[in-house]
Amino acid sequence: VRSGEADGAFNSSYRPERALYGVYPTKDGELDPARATLNYTYWLYTGSGSRVSWDGVSFGGLVRPVGAERSAAIVPELKKRGAEVIEAETYEEMLRMLAEGEVDAVAGFEGNVDIFLRTAPQHYRDVVRHPVPLVRKTGYLMFSKHFYARERERAERIWDAIAQVWSSPVATEIRRNYE
């Protein structure tokens, strides 16, 4: 999106630096959560015997870095709270780093991490999720400024269609199955 090679990116959380090259759906000058594509939560995962703690504000017991997905929105949040961060290309790589003791914890989306915990319990049986979320984010279909300048009406219709789908009875039922 930044380079102009793509017209948009799905599930982009708002970050001021992204707003320099991208456009998010707004209403009355504010982000419009009704036209979001996704609400998601980042959680902290550690080994079951770990002394690492997270109280919703600060970390305790961190000695080694925290693993996170490369360029993920959680990276600046972790650094802001004093954590050293090692960025990984994949969730599998993050969990390997945790298992091998390269990091004290990993920060990731519940669904992305939990699928590994469910499908390969022999490798990740000692990995636990802390009960307090790191951060909750809202993802949007972010269009490039170039696309939005050329196709403003189309972009607005797409965002309106996203809102219509998410507010439908079918989508409500689907979400209920995952809560």
Side-chain angles (χ1 to χ4, degrees), residues 14-168:
Y14 179 83
R15 290 178 28 199
E17 61 271 20
R18 289 180 180 161
L20 297 174
Y21 56 84
V23 181
Y24 293 86
T26 59
K27 182 176 183 178
D28 300 325
E30 299 288 326
L31 288 172
D32 185 356
R35 298 193 293 172
T37 55
L38 179 70
N39 290 306
Y40 52 96
T41 304
Y42 280 99
W43 296 90
L44 186 71
Y45 295 82
T46 62
S48 60
S50 172
R51 293 182 181 216
V52 172
S53 63
W54 167 250
D55 63 8
V57 176
S58 60
F59 293 105
L62 274 180
V63 176
R64 290 178 292 244
V66 175
E69 183 181 19
R70 185 167 314 286
S71 300
I74 193 65
V75 172
E77 301 277 345
L78 294 169
K79 290 179 178 179
K80 184 168 66 176
R81 289 176 166 74
E84 181 184 346
V85 179
I86 294 178
E87 297 182 49
E89 293 297 326
T90 65
Y91 276 84
E92 190 170 23
E93 181 183 357
M94 286 170 33
L95 289 165
R96 179 201 52 76
M97 290 189 306
L98 180 61
E100 293 178 2
E102 293 177 45
V103 296
D104 276 346
V106 296
F109 296 144
E110 175 181 3
N112 290 0
V113 173
D114 287 355
I115 195 160
F116 285 100
L117 304 184
R118 278 193 311 274
T119 60
Q122 69 278 15
H123 298 302
Y124 309 116
R125 80 176 105 258
D126 293 328
V127 176
V128 295
R129 184 179 80 197
H130 280 247
V132 179
L134 287 168
V135 68
R136 296 184 192 279
K137 294 276 189 181
T138 301
Y140 298 91
L141 171 54
M142 175 186 66
F143 288 112
S144 72
K145 284 192 172 184
H146 299 294
F147 177 82
Y148 191 76
R150 279 190 337 266
E151 301 283 350
R152 180 186 184 120
E153 286 183 31
R154 179 177 288 175
E156 294 292 339
R157 285 195 313 269
I158 291 169
W159 285 328
D160 289 345
I162 289 168
Q164 191 174 19
V165 168
W166 279 116
S167 65
S168 74

